[in-house]
Amino acid sequence: RATPAAAAPHPAPLSTTHTHTPPPTKPPPLQQSNHTHQKKMGSLSKLYLLTYNAVLITGWATVLYLAGTTFAADGHGRNVYAKVELPLLVAQTAAVLEVLHAITGIARSPVLVTAMQVSSRLMVVWGVLYVAPPSRTAALPLFTAAGVEYGLGVPSLLFCWGVTEVVRYSFYFFKLLGAVPYVITWMRYTFFIVLYPLGVSSELFLAYSGFPTLVKTGVLSYPLPNPYNVGLHFPSIVVMFFMGYVPGFPMLFQYMLTQRKSVLAPPKKAKKA
């Protein structure tokens, strides 16, 4: 009896290798929430800084305009401070926020340099001009042109500060928008070569002019004896503060020169292989 032939084995199917790409995983809800929150905070910070810079551009432009028109109308600077006092005090005091911006990180500025610049301005505005009225009309003539004397005083101070701040805040404003016009960049890193020394000279002259009043009136001083047994002699503080200009001015000026070189220097061409 014939036995049936063994059934041929069924051929195994050809194996094919497929690369399975898993669908992108969504971040956990908490991570999504944090990202959304950070994005929202970044937008709010940008809007706040845009508003801050726009307000300060307007404020310093107002100071510059009032100072210039008053000086041009009078032919001297004795009435300039009285005309600009309120916008000057507001605009300069608002700069305190810049130190907070640097500390909190919403603006990338060196904290020490920012604090030095702001504190020197505040000392001149509040520690000299505001409390020592003779400094507001003091003038040191340097030259005469068309019958008008030009020199150190409140007009020269406000000219330097006004131009510097309008350019600086305009630079920050456009930088936040993503594109700074070259002319503003050039002014930002060029005008300081003349305006910074002239501004510092004006600050020191006004401090010198107001110093006798600080000594005579004892304003902002707290002499001994007193219930707390702690004395405060404001004229001495003013002297020590402005002595800080000796090391501070060269340091800040050199810092700006270095910044100018890095920003305005033409880009280096790549060497050919």
Side-chain angles (χ1 to χ4, degrees):
R1 184 177 176 181
T3 57
H10 187 73
L14 294 175
S15 63
T16 58
T17 304
H18 296 282
T19 303
H20 178 67
T21 304
T25 57
K26 293 184 178 180
L30 181 59
Q31 185 177 345
Q32 281 185 315
S33 176
N34 289 339
H35 178 72
T36 303
H37 178 71
Q38 290 176 356
K39 187 175 181 180
K40 183 178 180 181
M41 291 302 295
S43 299
L44 289 175
S45 297
K46 182 176 180 179
L47 178 61
Y48 161 73
L49 289 175
L50 282 170
T51 304
Y52 174 82
N53 288 308
V55 170
L56 268 296
I57 292 170
T58 304
W60 280 107
T62 301
V63 170
L64 193 58
Y65 171 78
L66 292 175
T69 54
T70 303
F71 182 82
D74 297 344
H76 57 78
R78 289 189 290 274
N79 299 322
V80 170
Y81 179 82
K83 196 73 173 179
V84 306
E85 182 178 38
L86 181 58
L88 172 64
L89 293 176
V90 172
Q92 188 52 66
T93 305
V96 173
L97 294 174
E98 292 186 44
V99 181
L100 299 179
H101 297 165
I103 292 174
T104 57
I106 66 172
R108 289 180 294 180
S109 302
V111 177
L112 179 60
V113 173
T114 303
M116 289 175 62
Q117 292 174 329
V118 172
S119 63
S120 66
R121 296 281 192 87
L122 292 177
M123 177 60 83
V124 173
V125 168
W126 290 104
V128 177
L129 292 173
Y130 188 75
V131 298
S135 64
R136 306 172 188 177
T137 56
L140 178 62
L142 298 178
F143 64 94
T144 302
V148 179
E149 286 188 342
Y150 296 90
L152 300 182
V154 169
S156 63
L157 177 80
L158 297 183
F159 171 74
C160 295
W161 285 9
V163 173
T164 298
E165 299 299 62
V166 169
V167 171
R168 185 168 70 92
Y169 287 115
S170 297
F171 177 85
Y172 293 154
F173 182 85
F174 283 106
K175 190 173 183 180
L176 286 166
L177 294 179
V180 182
Y182 179 78
V183 64
I184 292 180
T185 301
W186 184 87
M187 289 190 294
R188 161 83 169 132
Y189 291 101
T190 303
F191 282 2
F192 79 92
I193 297 174
V194 174
L195 296 180
Y196 193 20
L198 180 58
V200 168
S201 300
S202 301
E203 293 173 23
L204 292 175
F205 170 70
L206 293 175
Y208 171 80
S209 301
F211 188 78
T213 302
L214 299 180
V215 175
K216 183 178 179 180
T217 62
V219 63
L220 299 181
S221 294
Y222 193 55
L224 290 169
N226 59 64
Y228 302 101
N229 201 30
V230 175
L232 176 66
H233 189 243
F234 186 66
S236 298
I237 294 176
V238 170
V239 169
M240 290 186 290
F241 184 89
F242 284 105
M243 283 181 64
Y245 277 39
V246 176
F249 170 74
M251 182 182 73
L252 291 175
F253 194 74
Q254 182 60 48
Y255 171 79
M256 289 300 296
L257 287 175
T258 303
Q259 290 291 99
R260 183 179 193 274
K261 184 177 180 180
S262 64
V263 172
L264 298 183
K268 295 182 180 179
K269 296 182 179 179
K271 294 182 179 180
K272 294 182 180 180

